[in-house]
């Protein structure tokens, strides 16, 4: 049987212990630390693309239902779910906010005094700003591999598959148009397939 050549592109992702170290890295005694912890929690629990993350507004998030709608790549609309833990941090972060802006992720002034004349889009944290936050705590957590918001997206997908989620569901949660795109993650399920094989065929 001729098998297709495996892609040389290897998906990088964090294991659960590395994810926990990253999430625990921010100092949550400050508003900026609370924001950063919440960003990391939401990135990991939703698998959002960083561009989708940066566009989020407070009024679009249903904290009670732990869900929100988003228009992703290719103008595809999907529902995104937030884990209970990420939702708790989201509540804490929003409670600490005293600014008038609707953007979910905002630049926190060092002085602690918000400038209401700044305008919502100037206050909004940029894609690059979110990337810098992830890299900052990667270093703090002592994680050797390069970590980006996209690595957290990979980690979200691989964790779901390792816990038994089916490929079609993961496809929907990631907002992939074709399941073929999601199949790049199936390498992580190979060890589990072997265990199942060994269980039934001694």
């Amino acid at each position: 049987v001729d098998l297709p050549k495996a892609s040389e592109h290897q998906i990088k992702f964090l294991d659960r212990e590395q994810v926990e170290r990253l999430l625990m890295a921010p100092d949550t005694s400050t508003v900026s630390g609370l924001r950063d912890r919440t960003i990391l929690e939401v990135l990991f629990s939703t698998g959002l693309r960083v561009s989708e993350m940066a566009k989020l507004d407070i009024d679009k998030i249903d904290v009670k239902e732990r869900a929100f709608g988003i228009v992703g790549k290719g103008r595809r609309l999907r529902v995104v779910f937030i884990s209970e833990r990420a939702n708790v941090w989201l509540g804490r972060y929003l409670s600490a906010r005293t600014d008038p802006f609707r953007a979910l992720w905002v630049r926190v002034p060092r002085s602690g005094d918000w400038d209401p004349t700044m305008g919502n889009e100037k206050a909004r944290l940029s894609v690059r700003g979110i990337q810098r936050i992830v890299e900052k705590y990667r270093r703090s957590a002592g994680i050797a591999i390069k970590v980006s918001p996209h690595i957290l997206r990979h980690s979200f997908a691989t964790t779901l598959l390792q816990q038994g989620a089916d490929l079609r569901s993961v496809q929907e949660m990631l907002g992939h148009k074709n399941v073929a795109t999601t199949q790049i993650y199936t390498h992580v399920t190979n060890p589990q397939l072997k265990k199942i094989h060994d269980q039934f065929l001694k």
Side-chain angles (χ1 to χ4, degrees), residues 166-179 182:
D166 64 277
L167 204 61
R168 184 74 180 82
S169 298
V170 176
Q171 176 197 353
E172 285 296 317
M173 284 186 263
L174 289 172
H176 286 161
K177 185 177 181 181
N178 300 310
V179 75
T182 319

Side-chain angles (χ1 to χ4, degrees), residues 20-81:
E20 287 303 320
R21 274 164 50 202
L22 183 69
L23 297 180
M24 297 288 283
D27 172 9
T28 55
S29 64
T30 65
V31 177
S32 59
L34 260 179
R35 177 204 63 194
D36 297 351
R37 172 70 186 258
T38 308
I39 283 173
L40 295 173
E41 291 277 357
V42 171
L43 276 171
F44 177 65
S45 87
T46 61
L48 282 173
R49 297 177 178 95
V50 66
S51 57
E52 297 167 341
M53 186 81 168
K55 291 175 188 170
L56 292 177
D57 288 330
I58 294 171
D59 61 358
K60 298 293 189 292
I61 313 290
D62 189 333
V63 177
K64 190 176 177 184
E65 293 296 323
R66 294 192 289 111
F68 55 92
I70 194 162
V71 179
K73 204 171 179 181
R75 306 293 299 165
R76 285 171 56 79
L77 180 65
R78 75 182 189 278
V79 177
V80 176
F81 303 99

Side-chain angles (χ1 to χ4, degrees), residues 106-125:
V106 290
R107 305 169 197 275
V108 177
R110 288 181 183 175
S111 65
D113 298 320
W114 300 95
D115 177 7
T117 64
M118 184 188 286
N120 185 68
E121 292 312 307
K122 261 198 168 181
R124 187 186 298 276
L125 204 58

Side-chain angles (χ1 to χ4, degrees), residues 119-177:
N120 185 68
E121 292 312 307
K122 261 198 168 181
R124 187 186 298 276
L125 204 58
S126 67
V127 164
R128 187 72 192 106
I130 294 172
Q131 289 169 335
R132 284 196 187 105
I133 285 167
V134 175
E135 174 57 20
K136 173 185 174 180
Y137 294 109
R138 189 276 300 176
R139 290 197 302 269
S140 299
I143 297 169
I145 68 167
K146 184 175 171 61
V147 180
S148 65
H150 209 70
I151 295 290
L152 286 178
R153 181 170 159 87
H154 291 330
S155 305
F156 163 79
T158 51
T159 299
L160 285 174
L161 288 167
Q162 286 169 336
Q163 296 300 316
D166 64 277
L167 204 61
R168 184 74 180 82
S169 298
V170 176
Q171 176 197 353
E172 285 296 317
M173 284 186 263
L174 289 172
H176 286 161
K177 185 177 181 181

